[in-house]
Amino acid sequence: MFDAKVSAQWIACAALLAAPAAAVADTLDAVRQRGTLHCAIHPGQTGMSFLDARGEWRGFFVDYCRALAAAVLRNANRVKFLPTASNKRFAVLQTGEVDVLSRTTTLTFTRDTSLGLDFTGVMYYDGQSFLVRRDAGVKRAEDLDGATICITKGTTAELNTADWFQRKRLRFRSLVFENAEESKIAFFARRCDAMTTDALALTVVRLADAPRPEDYVVLEEFLSKEPLGPVVRANDARWFDLNRWLLNALVAAEEFGVTAGNAAEMKVRSPNPEVRRLLGGEPGVGEPLGLDDEWALRAIQAVGNYGELYAKYIAPLGVARGLNRLQADGGLMYALPFR
């Protein structure tokens, strides 16, 4: 016997159960239909994200998006870059305004578990430090007891600084600014005794913005671990996998000696079957990601391998590669197996 009430309840229940599946986004399809990748980047940071003389965005994290566009759209230039302040970067990704966040963003437990976002890996290992005036006589972080510190809002630096001073039983006063530019201006105007953020960013500020770089010092001591990497929304497993394996492909290419210049030849001539798989010389790496088998080949040809990116954008700043060396060279970078 047909029971309308029971039937209505069953239909409502079925719809509720089906809702999560329907709500899952398909970013890859959206990017293809749009024909352009939308990428959130830093509004200005030498080495990582900056405008060149032609007014085009360049940098370590910027070129990650070009590699992604090459893999997905077969054209590294099909990217719309959205310069985004630190305190807005997660919102533009959560709301779907961009497809990926690729800027100096630290992977933390809270960010990776409570924002509806996923970090796809670590692209650069950094640590928080302090920029100080050389004539201040500050040799180590503990010498900043009682100091005023310039900090940018919406960064891990806010909590890290408070935690570090509390742990050391030291005092400090914070001046918090909406963006890094305001923080930098305040520091050079002597409104604070030190500026704090990631060490690479401080090195860039010292070299590019200080009236006399030799009058300033970035302390060697790190307050924290700052593993920086690309971020995507958490409701799209395929897009997450695609980004994770793209990052791995750039590192694997360096491990295998695959460069932008020799990738096409290595695809055919490499005696290593893993290299041939990576580059599409043997089938298998494309279909699980919704791509063809040459996606990694295009990405590497577009921007180079991980080491080439580092040499192009970061090494000129005088920053030692350190933890960002390959594991075989004593660093932390190594690729997951392509098999």
Side-chain angles (χ1 to χ4, degrees):
M1 181 177 177
F2 179 77
D3 188 323
K5 182 177 180 180
V6 172
S7 179
Q9 290 175 339
W10 184 89
I11 292 172
C13 182
L16 184 62
L17 291 173
V24 172
D26 195 325
T27 309
L28 177 59
D29 285 347
V31 171
R32 282 174 168 158
Q33 290 170 11
R34 189 193 308 132
T36 307
L37 174 73
H38 291 178
C39 176
I41 57 172
H42 196 288
Q45 186 179 37
T46 303
M48 292 299 195
S49 176
F50 60 94
L51 287 170
D52 66 12
R54 298 169 55 187
E56 296 182 357
W57 286 103
R58 300 292 175 191
F60 191 69
F61 275 90
V62 169
D63 271 11
Y64 173 85
C65 289
R66 287 200 170 89
L68 182 57
V72 172
L73 298 172
R74 301 171 182 261
N75 188 332
N77 296 318
R78 302 290 290 273
V79 187
K80 178 181 178 182
F81 294 108
L82 180 67
T84 309
S86 297
N87 59 338
K88 300 290 195 308
R89 55 186 157 176
F90 298 122
V92 296
L93 182 59
Q94 291 164 329
T95 59
E97 189 173 351
V98 297
D99 307 304
V100 61
L101 168 64
S102 184
R103 52 159 290 168
T104 46
T105 301
T106 302
L107 194 169
T108 69
F109 173 81
T110 302
R111 289 174 172 179
D112 197 47
T113 60
S114 64
L115 299 180
L117 305 174
D118 281 332
F119 284 76
T120 62
V122 177
M123 193 167 175
Y124 189 86
Y125 288 96
D126 206 350
Q128 185 179 334
S129 186
F130 293 103
L131 176 65
V132 298
R133 288 178 286 277
R134 189 179 295 275
D135 61 11
V138 176
K139 303 299 182 183
R140 54 179 191 160
E142 283 85 351
D143 294 336
L144 290 169
D145 185 21
T148 299
I149 313 294
C150 284
I151 307 175
T152 304
K153 183 179 180 180
T155 66
T156 54
E158 286 188 87
L159 293 177
N160 288 342
T161 304
D163 287 351
W164 186 86
F165 274 90
Q166 182 177 358
R167 186 168 66 248
K168 294 291 184 177
R169 299 179 183 276
L170 302 176
R171 299 172 297 105
F172 82 105
R173 174 175 173 261
S174 63
L175 283 182
V176 181
F177 298 89
E178 283 292 324
N179 56 63
E181 185 68 19
E182 292 178 357
S183 181
K184 177 177 63 181
I185 291 172
F187 171 70
F188 288 122
R190 293 180 174 262
R191 292 182 58 192
C192 50
D193 303 298
M195 176 181 174
T196 188
T197 187
D198 298 345
L200 177 63
L202 294 176
T203 298
V204 170
V205 168
R206 174 182 170 272
L207 294 174
D209 300 292
R212 286 167 45 90
E214 61 271 24
D215 291 343
Y216 297 86
V217 177
V218 177
L219 299 185
E220 294 183 2
E221 181 180 355
F222 281 178
L223 280 67
S224 65
K225 292 179 252 184
E226 302 293 330
L228 314 176
V231 192
V232 297
R233 287 181 292 278
N235 63 347
D236 192 337
R238 184 170 68 169
W239 189 245
F240 169 83
D241 286 343
L242 196 161
N243 278 269
R244 176 171 63 176
W245 286 100
L246 171 63
L247 181 54
N248 273 275
L250 298 178
V251 176
E254 183 183 8
E255 290 180 334
F256 293 135
V258 178
T259 67
N262 71 14
E265 181 181 1
M266 294 282 276
K267 169 193 168 184
V268 178
R269 299 183 181 276
S270 175
N272 186 336
E274 190 171 2
V275 172
R276 296 196 302 273
R277 277 194 298 274
L278 168 69
L279 300 174
E282 294 186 5
V285 298
E287 184 178 358
L289 300 176
L291 302 175
D292 66 292
D293 286 329
E294 292 189 344
W295 62 267
L297 171 66
R298 290 192 299 274
I300 295 162
Q301 287 178 319
V303 305
N305 64 37
Y306 183 87
E308 288 179 288
L309 285 172
Y310 198 99
K312 182 177 182 179
Y313 291 118
I314 301 178
L317 302 176
V319 177
R321 190 158 169 183
L323 296 176
N324 297 291
R325 296 192 301 265
L326 294 179
Q327 184 269 338
D329 298 326
L332 297 179
M333 301 300 298
Y334 71 90
L336 304 176
F338 278 85
R339 64 172 62 256

